[in-house]
Amino acid sequence: MRFALDESHEDFASSIDALLTKSDMPQVIRAWNSGDTAPGLQVWERLAETGVNGLLVAEEHDGLGADAVDLVVAVEQLGRHAVPGPVVETVAVAPVLLAAVAPERLGPLAAGSLATVAMLPHAPYAVDAHVADLALHVADGTVSMGTAGDTRESVDRSRTLASLTVGESLGSTDTAAAFDIGVLASAAQLQGLGRTLLDTTVEYAQQRKQFGRAIGSFQAVKHHLAEVAVALEMARPLLHGAAIAVRDELSTASRDVSAAKVACGDAAYLAARTALQVHGAIGYTQEYDLSLWITKVRALVTAWGTPDEHRARVVAALESEAS
């Protein structure tokens, strides 16, 4: 099995990266945190023009008809730039759910609408329902329209969590595929966040001086950064392998996405901890851009299933395969 991305994937990733680099994402995120979502929604409009929103929407509904590998390529870039809003729900989960129960509603997603999803029991709260054009409530295989109710704060100030009141039923389906694609997209988002945290910390370590030397020249700092780099690189094949398993509808897909979520989550969390340690006290401040990435990692590590739940899922699958 070949895990290397081809040229078209690299070009797609580069185009998203270039768009977001020009968008001054730290300022966009801070505006979103303060309640001004207009700059963030403008970013989403530009992303929709690249086809990101319609990746998993069939061509007959004006989407790209792409697959899980393309999804991972795109969402990793959205993670690298810490794009605010319901990323996983809009780009991954909602298209799969609607394709199964209400394909006539897919067109607006491909055109740039945002969607949020509450899927019981693993993702009980809808992310950023206040900006979503569509809210879906999923329980016991039934997909329904939802209306935002009580909200909760997240450690990531760019995420608002809301319970959904169940509305019109759209139909029933096996929601396992939608959950798996949500887990996969969440893993890709974490991988991107971890990579930015590593790159930012390496750059800081090369510039920050103590005792007349860049702190990046100290052996202990080198070791910490190397551990993060290794963790991220070890997680990447699991992420790409899971994308291929989902794309090809392999029997191991659920196990593989859980393994990817654990590996990417652990790597991103290590990147966040190391970034704080290397940056010192400045890393804790809300005024410093690093905090925007660190808090998002903390929130996403437990999104779409906790690490313990996914480890248990992997173990159960391996035991079943061995019996």
Side-chain angles (χ1 to χ4, degrees):
M1 184 177 291
R2 184 172 180 270
F3 295 108
L5 300 177
D6 61 29
E7 186 176 352
S8 66
H9 291 131
E10 298 288 357
D11 290 343
F12 187 38
S14 295
S15 67
I16 297 172
D17 178 56
L19 183 158
L20 295 173
T21 299
K22 295 176 182 177
S23 299
D24 192 3
M25 289 308 300
Q27 292 306 313
V28 169
I29 298 165
R30 286 194 167 87
W32 191 286
N33 292 354
S34 67
D36 179 10
T37 58
L41 294 177
Q42 289 174 1
V43 170
W44 274 102
E45 289 176 5
R46 292 193 288 271
L47 286 170
E49 292 172 359
T50 71
V52 166
N53 295 53
L55 274 173
L56 298 188
V57 176
E59 293 181 8
E60 64 188 272
H61 298 293
D62 300 322
L64 295 185
D67 58 37
V69 176
D70 301 296
L71 173 74
V72 162
V73 169
V75 175
E76 184 174 347
Q77 291 302 317
L78 302 187
R80 289 194 69 154
H81 293 272
V83 172
V87 170
V88 170
E89 295 76 9
T90 295
V91 181
V93 183
V96 172
L97 289 172
L98 291 178
V101 299
E104 69 278 2
R105 294 177 180 263
L106 286 168
L109 275 185
S113 292
L114 298 186
T116 190
V117 179
M119 181 178 289
L120 305 180
H122 300 295
Y125 297 103
V127 176
D128 295 324
H130 63 298
V131 297
D133 304 289
L134 173 71
L136 298 176
H137 180 278
V138 184
D140 299 325
T142 299
V143 182
S144 305
M145 298 293 290
T147 303
D150 296 335
T151 61
R152 297 188 175 201
E153 293 183 355
S154 168
V155 66
D156 173 13
R157 295 176 61 207
S158 71
R159 287 167 63 87
T160 299
L161 306 177
S163 58
L164 293 184
T165 300
V166 180
E168 173 193 359
S169 174
L170 299 179
S172 297
T173 184
D174 182 357
T175 58
F179 178 67
D180 283 348
I181 205 75
V183 175
L184 178 67
S186 183
Q189 201 175 7
L190 282 161
Q191 180 75 4
L193 287 161
R195 176 52 61 181
T196 292
L197 284 166
L198 175 61
D199 292 345
T200 300
T201 307
V202 168
E203 182 179 0
Y204 179 81
Q206 291 171 339
Q207 297 174 352
R208 179 74 167 89
K209 291 185 178 180
Q210 286 185 349
F211 310 111
R213 297 170 55 190
I215 62 173
S217 66
F218 299 148
Q219 197 76 359
V221 174
K222 287 181 180 180
H223 285 171
H224 284 307
L225 293 175
E227 288 175 0
V228 175
V230 169
L232 288 167
E233 286 306 308
M234 293 296 289
R236 184 175 296 278
L238 290 175
L239 178 62
H240 291 172
I244 291 171
V246 171
R247 180 196 67 188
D248 297 345
E249 299 181 347
L250 301 182
S251 60
T252 61
S254 293
R255 179 202 70 189
D256 294 345
V257 298
S258 285
K261 178 63 160 49
V262 170
C264 293
D266 285 353
Y269 190 64
L270 178 62
R273 290 182 58 189
T274 301
L276 276 177
Q277 185 173 5
V278 173
H279 280 80
I282 192 174
Y284 287 90
T285 62
Q286 291 184 357
E287 292 78 13
Y288 197 61
D289 291 348
L290 186 77
S291 67
L292 304 175
W293 273 254
I294 288 174
T295 53
K296 189 170 287 292
V297 166
R298 186 64 188 88
L300 291 180
V301 163
T302 55
W304 292 93
T306 67
D308 284 348
E309 289 171 338
H310 285 297
R311 287 188 177 93
R313 205 174 182 220
V314 171
V315 170
L318 292 176
E319 289 176 345
S320 177
E321 293 168 10
S323 62

